[in-house]
Each structure stands twice: as structure tokens, then as C-alpha cells.
Amino acid sequence: MMAYQYSDVNSLMVYAGYCRRCCAQWCFFRHLPSQEEKTMAGTARHDREMAVNAKRQLSATSDPVERLRLQCLARGSAGIKGLGRTFRIMDDDNNRTLDLKEFLKGLNDYGVLIEKEEALKLFQHFDRDGSGQIDFDEFLITLRPPMSNARKEVIMQAFRKLDKTGDGVITVEDLRGVYNAKNHPKYQNGEWTEDQIFRQFLNSFDSPDDKDGKVTKEEFMNYYAGVSASIDTDIYFIIMMKNAWKL
């Protein structure tokens, strides 16, 4: 596989699912040069294949945790991240726990197809101490598709590179210190400012109805856990990450 070095946010938007010329998400990279198109379209193809396989496997498993994981993966790489964001919005007091009512509402709001009895079993699986609360972070970590330590480490390398302030959250200010947005066509033609370009890039990691312009470590890991599930080998995943983020 050829290695590509992305030097600006314009190129990184391609990796995150945005065409660098029209900025449409998943436009299947129709504007890219042919060799880059093959490489990037390959990632999109893995994502589609993963979604198809997840839907197929749903009918063959009765384990409630696996069924929820597969429903998220059937939505693509961002599926688990999206569910995590839905639950985080509901955590009004920021205590990182969910009660049964919040848990059921979150599943419903995210459009998870699940019988109430199955949802109760799922909640009880995580409510190990019988307190009526489940730990938000433990739930998401368990829901993520398994990843090798090598994959987790390269994901964290990318996050640490982007998080210039080291506060555990990627913002526009962080990106400004890492990448140059002035090569983006919409900056050059005066349509977007630098901040708008960086914000559009951050939006690719956000759920459609809660684009807050911030990406936490958990959201970053949840997103790439989905990407990881579509890629068979550690080597391919690590090369892809290193090339995309110039690690």
C-alpha cells in the first residue's frame, strides 16, 4: 500500500470522510486524483462492508451486549461514538452514570431497535452492584469492538498530537497549532474562514444533532474503535493512522 502524508486539514478532511474540494461528507471522493481515490475509497468500502456484516450477524447472536454493539456498527464507524454522545447529553449532572430510565431513553433516542426485556438484561449486565446505576465509561469501553494495544496506542498518539493544550479535549485552537487551513479551497476563494474550516473538520467526529466543536478523548477513541472494526489487520490500521495524522 502506498503511503500518503497529509500536511494540512484539507487533506485530513478527506480521511475523516469529507471531500477536500466540495466538503460533502462521504461523496466517495469523486474529485480526488485516481491513486488517492483508490486508497481513501478503500476505507469507505471497509466501512460499508462492516455495516453489512454487522446487520448479517445480528440475526445470529442472542447476547444483548453483542447485539447492541452490532446495531451501532451497522451505522458505520461513528455508530458507537454516536451512542456515547447521546448518553453524554443526558448526563445532566455530569456524574458519568446512568439510571435505567436514562438508559432506556438514550437507546430510544438513538433509534436502537431493542425489546424492553432485552434492554433490561443489558442494563442488569452493567449494573453489577445492583445500585440501579451503570458506569457510563465502563459501558462504552465494553461496547467498543476489541482492539489490540497497538491500535489503541496509535489512536492515542494521534489524539495527543491534536490536543496541543493537553487538556483532554480537541478544539479549534488546538487544530490551529497543528495544521494549516489556508490551503483549503474554500479558504482560498474566501467562502470560509480558518475557524470555519477547522470547525467543519471537528464536526466529522460529532453526532449530527450535537455539534459542539469539541472532541474528547473518549469520543476520539469511540470513533476510531468503529473505524478499527472495519479493518482486519493491525499493520493496515497503524499505517493508515500514521499516514493520515503524520505520526
Side-chain angles (χ1 to χ4, degrees), residues 2-40:
M2 293 187 67
Y4 294 96
Q5 298 297 316
Y6 300 126
S7 58
D8 55 37
V9 91
N10 176 27
S11 300
L12 282 170
M13 286 179 75
V14 177
Y15 171 73
Y18 284 82
C19 171
R20 64 181 177 186
R21 293 191 187 174
C22 72
C23 292
Q25 192 170 27
W26 300 118
C27 71
F28 299 107
F29 317 106
R30 60 183 175 272
H31 303 297
L32 294 179
S34 58
Q35 191 58 47
E36 270 188 304
E37 180 179 359
K38 291 177 183 177
T39 301
M40 290 299 134

Short mmCIF file of all heavy atoms in Angstrom, two decimals, residues 2-40:
data_model
loop_
_atom_site.label_atom_id
_atom_site.label_comp_id
_atom_site.label_asym_id
_atom_site.label_seq_id
_atom_site.Cartn_x
_atom_site.Cartn_y
_atom_site.Cartn_z
N MET A 2 0.56 2.20 -0.83
CA MET A 2 1.34 3.43 -0.90
C MET A 2 1.08 4.29 0.32
O MET A 2 -0.01 4.34 0.86
CB MET A 2 0.99 4.22 -2.16
CG MET A 2 1.42 3.53 -3.44
SD MET A 2 1.15 4.60 -4.86
CE MET A 2 2.35 5.88 -4.57
N ALA A 3 2.11 4.98 0.77
CA ALA A 3 1.97 5.84 1.94
C ALA A 3 1.74 7.28 1.50
O ALA A 3 2.44 7.79 0.65
CB ALA A 3 3.23 5.77 2.80
N TYR A 4 0.75 7.94 2.12
CA TYR A 4 0.45 9.33 1.81
C TYR A 4 0.63 10.15 3.07
O TYR A 4 0.20 9.76 4.14
CB TYR A 4 -0.99 9.47 1.30
CG TYR A 4 -1.18 8.79 -0.02
CD1 TYR A 4 -1.69 7.50 -0.09
CD2 TYR A 4 -0.82 9.42 -1.20
CE1 TYR A 4 -1.84 6.86 -1.29
CE2 TYR A 4 -0.97 8.79 -2.42
CZ TYR A 4 -1.49 7.51 -2.47
OH TYR A 4 -1.64 6.87 -3.66
N GLN A 5 1.26 11.30 2.92
CA GLN A 5 1.49 12.19 4.05
C GLN A 5 0.57 13.39 3.93
O GLN A 5 0.66 14.16 2.98
CB GLN A 5 2.96 12.65 4.07
CG GLN A 5 3.94 11.51 4.24
CD GLN A 5 3.76 10.81 5.58
OE1 GLN A 5 3.61 11.46 6.59
NE2 GLN A 5 3.79 9.50 5.58
N TYR A 6 -0.34 13.55 4.90
CA TYR A 6 -1.30 14.64 4.86
C TYR A 6 -0.76 15.81 5.67
O TYR A 6 -0.57 15.70 6.87
CB TYR A 6 -2.64 14.18 5.42
CG TYR A 6 -3.21 13.04 4.64
CD1 TYR A 6 -3.58 11.86 5.27
CD2 TYR A 6 -3.32 13.14 3.25
CE1 TYR A 6 -4.09 10.80 4.53
CE2 TYR A 6 -3.84 12.09 2.52
CZ TYR A 6 -4.21 10.92 3.16
OH TYR A 6 -4.72 9.88 2.44
N SER A 7 -0.53 16.93 5.02
CA SER A 7 0.15 18.05 5.66
C SER A 7 -0.80 19.16 6.10
O SER A 7 -0.37 20.10 6.73
CB SER A 7 1.17 18.64 4.69
OG SER A 7 0.54 19.06 3.50
N ASP A 8 -2.07 19.09 5.76
CA ASP A 8 -2.96 20.16 6.16
C ASP A 8 -4.34 19.60 6.45
O ASP A 8 -4.65 18.46 6.18
CB ASP A 8 -3.04 21.26 5.08
CG ASP A 8 -3.42 20.71 3.72
OD1 ASP A 8 -4.25 19.78 3.68
OD2 ASP A 8 -2.90 21.20 2.72
N VAL A 9 -5.21 20.44 7.01
CA VAL A 9 -6.53 19.99 7.39
C VAL A 9 -7.38 19.65 6.18
O VAL A 9 -8.29 18.84 6.24
CB VAL A 9 -7.21 21.07 8.28
CG1 VAL A 9 -8.01 22.05 7.47
CG2 VAL A 9 -8.08 20.41 9.33
N ASN A 10 -7.06 20.26 5.03
CA ASN A 10 -7.74 19.96 3.79
C ASN A 10 -7.63 18.48 3.46
O ASN A 10 -8.61 17.81 3.14
CB ASN A 10 -7.10 20.83 2.69
CG ASN A 10 -7.66 20.55 1.32
OD1 ASN A 10 -8.80 20.12 1.19
ND2 ASN A 10 -6.85 20.80 0.31
N SER A 11 -6.43 17.93 3.58
CA SER A 11 -6.22 16.51 3.31
C SER A 11 -6.83 15.65 4.39
O SER A 11 -7.36 14.58 4.12
CB SER A 11 -4.73 16.22 3.19
OG SER A 11 -4.14 16.96 2.15
N LEU A 12 -6.75 16.10 5.64
CA LEU A 12 -7.29 15.30 6.74
C LEU A 12 -8.80 15.18 6.65
O LEU A 12 -9.38 14.20 7.07
CB LEU A 12 -6.89 15.90 8.08
CG LEU A 12 -5.46 15.61 8.49
CD1 LEU A 12 -5.09 16.46 9.70
CD2 LEU A 12 -5.27 14.15 8.81
N MET A 13 -9.47 16.20 6.09
CA MET A 13 -10.91 16.12 5.94
C MET A 13 -11.28 14.98 5.01
O MET A 13 -12.34 14.36 5.15
CB MET A 13 -11.48 17.45 5.44
CG MET A 13 -11.51 18.52 6.50
SD MET A 13 -12.14 20.08 5.91
CE MET A 13 -13.88 19.71 5.82
N VAL A 14 -10.41 14.70 4.03
CA VAL A 14 -10.65 13.57 3.15
C VAL A 14 -10.67 12.29 3.96
O VAL A 14 -11.57 11.45 3.83
CB VAL A 14 -9.55 13.48 2.06
CG1 VAL A 14 -9.77 12.25 1.20
CG2 VAL A 14 -9.54 14.73 1.22
N TYR A 15 -9.67 12.13 4.83
CA TYR A 15 -9.60 10.94 5.66
C TYR A 15 -10.82 10.82 6.57
O TYR A 15 -11.36 9.74 6.78
CB TYR A 15 -8.33 10.94 6.51
CG TYR A 15 -8.34 9.84 7.52
CD1 TYR A 15 -8.15 8.52 7.11
CD2 TYR A 15 -8.60 10.10 8.84
CE1 TYR A 15 -8.20 7.49 8.02
CE2 TYR A 15 -8.65 9.08 9.76
CZ TYR A 15 -8.44 7.78 9.35
OH TYR A 15 -8.51 6.77 10.26
N ALA A 16 -11.27 11.95 7.12
CA ALA A 16 -12.38 11.93 8.06
C ALA A 16 -13.71 11.73 7.36
O ALA A 16 -14.74 11.66 7.99
CB ALA A 16 -12.42 13.22 8.87
N GLY A 17 -13.71 11.66 6.02
CA GLY A 17 -14.95 11.40 5.32
C GLY A 17 -15.47 12.58 4.53
O GLY A 17 -16.59 12.56 4.05
N TYR A 18 -14.67 13.64 4.37
CA TYR A 18 -15.10 14.82 3.64
C TYR A 18 -14.25 14.99 2.40
O TYR A 18 -13.03 14.92 2.46
CB TYR A 18 -14.99 16.08 4.50
CG TYR A 18 -16.06 16.20 5.52
CD1 TYR A 18 -15.97 15.52 6.73
CD2 TYR A 18 -17.20 16.95 5.28
CE1 TYR A 18 -16.97 15.61 7.68
CE2 TYR A 18 -18.20 17.05 6.23
CZ TYR A 18 -18.08 16.37 7.42
OH TYR A 18 -19.07 16.47 8.34
N CYS A 19 -14.91 15.26 1.28
CA CYS A 19 -14.17 15.55 0.06
C CYS A 19 -13.48 16.90 0.22
O CYS A 19 -14.07 17.87 0.66
CB CYS A 19 -15.12 15.60 -1.12
SG CYS A 19 -14.32 16.21 -2.61
N ARG A 20 -12.22 16.98 -0.15
CA ARG A 20 -11.47 18.21 0.11
C ARG A 20 -11.83 19.32 -0.87
O ARG A 20 -11.40 20.45 -0.72
CB ARG A 20 -9.97 17.92 0.07
CG ARG A 20 -9.44 17.48 -1.27
CD ARG A 20 -7.96 17.21 -1.15
NE ARG A 20 -7.42 16.70 -2.39
CZ ARG A 20 -6.18 16.28 -2.51
NH1 ARG A 20 -5.37 16.31 -1.47
NH2 ARG A 20 -5.73 15.82 -3.65
N ARG A 21 -12.59 19.01 -1.91
CA ARG A 21 -12.99 20.07 -2.83
C ARG A 21 -14.42 20.54 -2.58
O ARG A 21 -14.69 21.72 -2.58
CB ARG A 21 -12.84 19.59 -4.28
CG ARG A 21 -11.38 19.38 -4.65
CD ARG A 21 -11.21 19.17 -6.15
NE ARG A 21 -9.84 18.79 -6.46
CZ ARG A 21 -9.45 18.44 -7.67
NH1 ARG A 21 -10.30 18.40 -8.67
NH2 ARG A 21 -8.20 18.10 -7.88
N CYS A 22 -15.35 19.59 -2.40
CA CYS A 22 -16.73 20.03 -2.23
C CYS A 22 -17.16 19.98 -0.77
O CYS A 22 -18.23 20.48 -0.42
CB CYS A 22 -17.69 19.17 -3.06
SG CYS A 22 -17.90 17.50 -2.43
N CYS A 23 -16.34 19.37 0.11
CA CYS A 23 -16.62 19.28 1.54
C CYS A 23 -17.93 18.56 1.84
O CYS A 23 -18.54 18.77 2.87
CB CYS A 23 -16.64 20.66 2.18
SG CYS A 23 -15.00 21.40 2.18
N ALA A 24 -18.38 17.71 0.94
CA ALA A 24 -19.55 16.88 1.21
C ALA A 24 -19.10 15.60 1.89
O ALA A 24 -18.13 14.98 1.45
CB ALA A 24 -20.28 16.55 -0.09
N GLN A 25 -19.79 15.21 2.96
CA GLN A 25 -19.36 14.02 3.66
C GLN A 25 -19.69 12.78 2.83
O GLN A 25 -20.76 12.65 2.27
CB GLN A 25 -20.05 13.92 5.02
CG GLN A 25 -19.44 12.85 5.90
CD GLN A 25 -19.95 12.90 7.31
OE1 GLN A 25 -21.06 13.35 7.52
NE2 GLN A 25 -19.16 12.45 8.25
N TRP A 26 -18.72 11.87 2.76
CA TRP A 26 -18.86 10.63 2.02
C TRP A 26 -19.38 10.86 0.60
O TRP A 26 -20.35 10.28 0.16
CB TRP A 26 -19.77 9.65 2.77
CG TRP A 26 -19.24 9.32 4.11
CD1 TRP A 26 -19.83 9.57 5.30
CD2 TRP A 26 -17.97 8.74 4.41
NE1 TRP A 26 -19.00 9.17 6.33
CE2 TRP A 26 -17.87 8.66 5.81
CE3 TRP A 26 -16.91 8.29 3.63
CZ2 TRP A 26 -16.76 8.14 6.45
CZ3 TRP A 26 -15.80 7.77 4.28
CH2 TRP A 26 -15.74 7.70 5.67
N CYS A 27 -18.72 11.77 -0.13
CA CYS A 27 -19.06 11.96 -1.54
C CYS A 27 -18.35 10.93 -2.39
O CYS A 27 -18.37 11.01 -3.60
CB CYS A 27 -18.69 13.37 -2.00
SG CYS A 27 -16.91 13.61 -2.15
N PHE A 28 -17.73 9.94 -1.73
CA PHE A 28 -16.97 8.87 -2.37
C PHE A 28 -15.80 9.42 -3.17
O PHE A 28 -15.32 8.80 -4.10
CB PHE A 28 -17.89 8.01 -3.24
CG PHE A 28 -18.96 7.35 -2.44
CD1 PHE A 28 -20.27 7.79 -2.53
CD2 PHE A 28 -18.65 6.35 -1.54
CE1 PHE A 28 -21.25 7.21 -1.74
CE2 PHE A 28 -19.63 5.77 -0.76
CZ PHE A 28 -20.93 6.20 -0.87
N PHE A 29 -15.32 10.62 -2.75
CA PHE A 29 -14.04 11.13 -3.20
C PHE A 29 -13.95 11.25 -4.72
O PHE A 29 -12.91 11.03 -5.32
CB PHE A 29 -12.91 10.23 -2.67
CG PHE A 29 -13.12 9.83 -1.24
CD1 PHE A 29 -13.52 8.57 -0.91
CD2 PHE A 29 -12.96 10.77 -0.24
CE1 PHE A 29 -13.75 8.22 0.41
CE2 PHE A 29 -13.19 10.43 1.09
CZ PHE A 29 -13.58 9.15 1.40
N ARG A 30 -15.06 11.64 -5.34
CA ARG A 30 -15.09 11.68 -6.80
C ARG A 30 -14.19 12.77 -7.37
O ARG A 30 -13.89 12.76 -8.56
CB ARG A 30 -16.52 11.88 -7.28
CG ARG A 30 -17.17 13.17 -6.78
CD ARG A 30 -18.62 13.27 -7.26
NE ARG A 30 -19.28 14.43 -6.70
CZ ARG A 30 -19.91 14.45 -5.55
NH1 ARG A 30 -19.93 13.37 -4.81
NH2 ARG A 30 -20.51 15.55 -5.11
N HIS A 31 -13.76 13.72 -6.52
CA HIS A 31 -12.92 14.79 -7.03
C HIS A 31 -11.43 14.51 -6.87
O HIS A 31 -10.61 15.31 -7.29
CB HIS A 31 -13.23 16.10 -6.28
CG HIS A 31 -14.66 16.51 -6.38
ND1 HIS A 31 -15.28 16.82 -7.56
CD2 HIS A 31 -15.61 16.65 -5.42
CE1 HIS A 31 -16.53 17.14 -7.34
NE2 HIS A 31 -16.76 17.05 -6.04
N LEU A 32 -11.05 13.39 -6.22
CA LEU A 32 -9.65 13.16 -5.90
C LEU A 32 -8.89 12.57 -7.07
O LEU A 32 -9.46 11.89 -7.91
CB LEU A 32 -9.53 12.20 -4.71
CG LEU A 32 -10.07 12.73 -3.38
CD1 LEU A 32 -9.89 11.65 -2.33
CD2 LEU A 32 -9.33 13.97 -2.97
N PRO A 33 -7.57 12.78 -7.11
CA PRO A 33 -6.74 12.09 -8.10
C PRO A 33 -6.90 10.59 -7.94
O PRO A 33 -7.15 10.08 -6.85
CB PRO A 33 -5.32 12.54 -7.74
CG PRO A 33 -5.50 13.82 -6.99
CD PRO A 33 -6.79 13.69 -6.27
N SER A 34 -6.74 9.85 -8.99
CA SER A 34 -7.12 8.44 -9.03
C SER A 34 -6.43 7.59 -7.96
O SER A 34 -7.06 6.74 -7.34
CB SER A 34 -6.81 7.85 -10.41
OG SER A 34 -5.43 8.01 -10.70
N GLN A 35 -5.12 7.79 -7.70
CA GLN A 35 -4.45 6.92 -6.75
C GLN A 35 -4.91 7.20 -5.32
O GLN A 35 -5.16 6.28 -4.55
CB GLN A 35 -2.93 7.12 -6.85
CG GLN A 35 -2.13 6.07 -6.07
CD GLN A 35 -2.44 4.66 -6.53
OE1 GLN A 35 -2.46 4.37 -7.72
NE2 GLN A 35 -2.74 3.78 -5.59
N GLU A 36 -5.05 8.48 -4.96
CA GLU A 36 -5.59 8.81 -3.63
C GLU A 36 -7.01 8.31 -3.50
O GLU A 36 -7.44 7.84 -2.46
CB GLU A 36 -5.56 10.32 -3.40
CG GLU A 36 -4.27 10.81 -2.78
CD GLU A 36 -4.38 12.26 -2.40
OE1 GLU A 36 -4.69 13.08 -3.29
OE2 GLU A 36 -4.15 12.58 -1.24
N GLU A 37 -7.76 8.39 -4.61
CA GLU A 37 -9.14 7.94 -4.59
C GLU A 37 -9.21 6.47 -4.23
O GLU A 37 -10.05 6.05 -3.43
CB GLU A 37 -9.77 8.18 -5.96
CG GLU A 37 -11.22 7.74 -6.06
CD GLU A 37 -11.79 8.02 -7.41
OE1 GLU A 37 -11.07 8.57 -8.26
OE2 GLU A 37 -12.96 7.67 -7.63
N LYS A 38 -8.32 5.68 -4.80
CA LYS A 38 -8.32 4.24 -4.51
C LYS A 38 -8.06 3.98 -3.04
O LYS A 38 -8.70 3.15 -2.41
CB LYS A 38 -7.28 3.53 -5.36
CG LYS A 38 -7.62 3.49 -6.85
CD LYS A 38 -6.49 2.84 -7.63
CE LYS A 38 -6.78 2.86 -9.14
NZ LYS A 38 -5.65 2.30 -9.91
N THR A 39 -7.09 4.70 -2.48
CA THR A 39 -6.74 4.47 -1.08
C THR A 39 -7.86 4.90 -0.15
O THR A 39 -8.26 4.16 0.75
CB THR A 39 -5.46 5.25 -0.72
OG1 THR A 39 -4.41 4.81 -1.58
CG2 THR A 39 -5.05 5.00 0.71
N MET A 40 -8.40 6.11 -0.34
CA MET A 40 -9.42 6.62 0.55
C MET A 40 -10.77 5.92 0.34
O MET A 40 -11.49 5.67 1.29
CB MET A 40 -9.58 8.13 0.33
CG MET A 40 -8.40 8.91 0.83
SD MET A 40 -8.19 8.67 2.59
CE MET A 40 -6.45 8.38 2.66
#
